[in-house]
Amino acid sequence: MSKEIKLRALTGDRPTGKLHLGHFVGSLQNRLVLQDTHEQYVMIADVQGLSANAQDPQKIKDNIYEVALDYLAVGLDPQKTTIFVQSMIPEIAELTIYFLNLVTVSRLGQNPTVKTEMKEKGFDTSVPAGFYMHPINQAADILAFQARVVPAGEDQSPMIEQTNEIVEKFNRLYGPVFEKVSMLASHTPRLMGIDGKAKMSKSLGNAIYLSDSKHDIEKKVMEMYTDPEHIKATDPGHVEGNVVFSYLDVFDPRHEEVAALKEQYRTGGLGDVTIKKRLIEVLETIIAPIREKRETYAKDPAQVMRMLEEGTKRAREVAAQTMAQVKNAIGINYFS
Ligand code: ATP
Ligand code: MG
């Protein structure tokens, strides 16, 4: 019987904090689908995390475990998805070195993701070189596994573009080793922060985490920005730019009811507390089972680390095969 050949998918997260609702809708939900249709690799990007946290490796170390717990809690299945730790695959670092020669410094400076993140993280002219070149490192992450699909949020599309430029240049110079990569965007390519900022992000402190308690959710939703002109329930209010409604649009499956609530809010007669209570209930319904599963896995940290170790071992074999192909193509396999 011939074995079905599945395309490879790869994504990852920096272990700079626990995962949040932005990760859930931007990427994790698609990964749950891909683990059945693709040969999926999910990477905990500690090397990338360190590029902006070199002074605090303990934070990165602690969060490797937290992110692994989040993965298991949302339903990534280690039997279907190879979950691994980036720094334990030296082939990725090696591949990065060769890719660095294929990209100019000025091209890196034009990358919108890098520009935005430099601003987010408060780097001015003091950006670490490792951070600046991380689109190349990311291309190496993807191509070390010869992945064809990357399920990610909208902020990642310049990264995929950069990866494909590297594919083109590498193949032109050394022969056809890599294939183009495509991004699988989600229905919600960008979830706003609870503060109304464009993007929910760990480092912006505006996130609802998949591990948040019901109390945390209540507190965060109650503090959400709605409409400053909507003072009394009877006042007409704005739905656009209203964080509570934008979350209901994403998370509440009862679309018709949400549409009716919006109408009522616009004309007046619907209080902020009513819609906030609804959102709390909607979010708790999503997060409660994740939180419970997370607590179960957290009872056996050694098993979580074993799962990562096994995944990393499998991942390394694949990356080593690619590296051998790369060295053959460039012609630098001197002793074999
Ligand atoms: P950091 O603050 O360290 O940058 P982050 O919260 O922005 O962390 P990343 O590690 O940058 O998270 O992102 C991991 C993945 O999750 C990427 O695919 C990204 O597109 C997706 N993602 C992160 N935040 C959101 C969001 N608010 N909406 C949609 N997708 C998101
Ligand atoms: Mg980010």
Side-chain angles (χ1 to χ4, degrees):
M1 229 173 70
S2 72
K3 200 168 167 263
E4 184 195 358
I5 306 231
K6 289 177 170 174
L7 288 184
R8 290 189 186 143
L10 179 131
T11 38
D13 303 280
R14 286 178 267 228
T16 48
K18 295 177 184 178
L19 301 186
H20 52 64
L21 286 174
H23 297 116
F24 188 65
V25 294
S27 175
L28 292 170
Q29 281 182 321
N30 272 336
R31 296 183 204 175
L32 294 178
V33 176
L34 287 172
Q35 72 178 347
D36 289 318
T37 55
H38 286 64
E39 182 183 324
Q40 178 162 251
Y41 296 83
V42 171
M43 173 183 76
I44 304 188
D46 61 333
V47 177
Q48 213 185 99
L50 279 167
S51 72
N53 295 276
Q55 74 300 341
D56 196 0
Q58 189 63 41
K59 169 177 155 187
I60 300 298
K61 187 176 176 190
D62 293 343
N63 280 303
I64 288 177
Y65 170 68
E66 298 294 339
V67 170
L69 275 182
D70 285 325
Y71 287 162
L72 295 169
V74 296
L76 286 182
D77 175 353
Q79 301 300 325
K80 298 178 183 172
T81 295
T82 301
I83 302 174
F84 69 94
V85 179
Q86 187 183 27
S87 65
M88 301 303 282
I89 316 281
E91 287 78 5
I92 295 176
E94 202 180 353
L95 193 54
T96 303
I97 294 289
Y98 298 110
F99 285 173
L100 275 166
N101 301 330
L102 309 180
V103 182
T104 63
V105 173
S106 79
R107 172 67 181 89
L108 275 178
Q110 292 156 11
N111 186 308
T113 314
V114 175
K115 279 197 202 157
T116 316
E117 293 193 349
M118 275 170 60
K119 245 187 244 149
E120 268 176 27
K121 289 173 177 72
F123 298 135
D124 189 14
T125 49
S126 60
V127 58
F131 189 87
Y132 200 65
M133 65 96 179
H134 92 243
I136 300 177
N137 191 209
Q138 221 161 306
D141 297 331
I142 298 167
L143 297 176
F145 296 89
Q146 306 194 28
R148 304 286 300 281
V149 182
V150 176
E154 166 186 77
D155 57 335
Q156 295 301 310
S157 77
M159 297 295 198
I160 305 299
E161 209 176 292
Q162 176 76 81
T163 301
N164 283 330
E165 285 175 27
I166 291 174
V167 168
E168 215 161 81
K169 184 118 194 232
F170 187 99
N171 290 350
R172 186 150 39 85
L173 291 177
Y174 307 123
V177 171
F178 297 110
E179 305 251 11
K180 288 265 172 84
V181 177
S182 53
M183 192 171 103
L184 181 65
S186 70
H187 296 298
T188 311
R190 190 178 64 197
L191 183 71
M192 67 163 71
I194 57 173
D195 54 359
K197 285 214 182 98
K199 187 175 164 260
M200 177 178 285
S201 169
K202 295 174 212 124
S203 50
L204 296 176
N206 61 1
I208 295 182
Y209 293 94
L210 298 173
S211 47
D212 272 351
S213 67
K214 178 149 193 225
H215 178 75
D216 294 331
I217 297 172
E218 281 167 352
K219 193 162 171 288
K220 289 177 183 178
V221 172
M222 281 312 195
E223 280 168 9
M224 269 180 188
Y225 172 93
T226 53
D227 174 3
E229 286 164 35
H230 186 252
I231 297 157
K232 295 196 297 294
T234 48
D235 293 339
H238 290 96
V239 165
E240 290 70 31
N242 186 316
V243 184
V244 179
F245 276 112
S246 80
Y247 277 53
L248 286 173
D249 278 338
V250 175
F251 296 105
D252 193 329
R254 297 157 295 181
H255 302 297
E256 281 168 22
E257 284 179 38
V258 173
L261 287 171
K262 281 184 182 169
E263 206 36 56
Q264 200 187 347
Y265 196 84
R266 281 197 187 99
T267 45
L270 181 61
D272 283 350
V273 173
T274 312
I275 52 167
K276 285 183 169 179
K277 284 207 164 136
R278 182 180 178 106
L279 180 59
I280 290 167
E281 182 216 307
V282 164
L283 295 182
E284 175 63 8
T285 306
I286 295 170
I287 291 178
I290 299 175
R291 185 198 303 132
E292 278 161 30
K293 228 171 143 190
R294 201 180 194 281
E295 280 162 12
T296 310
Y297 283 111
K299 288 190 183 125
D300 194 352
Q303 201 196 326
V304 175
M305 294 314 285
R306 240 185 344 264
M307 176 282 288
L308 280 181
E309 195 179 343
E310 280 162 21
T312 302
K313 213 169 133 203
R314 277 208 303 278
R316 190 156 183 207
E317 284 165 18
V318 177
Q321 284 166 12
T322 301
M323 215 39 235
Q325 272 175 273
V326 163
K327 288 199 161 181
N328 266 329
I330 307 179
I332 51 173
N333 48 347
Y334 308 117
F335 307 126
S336 58

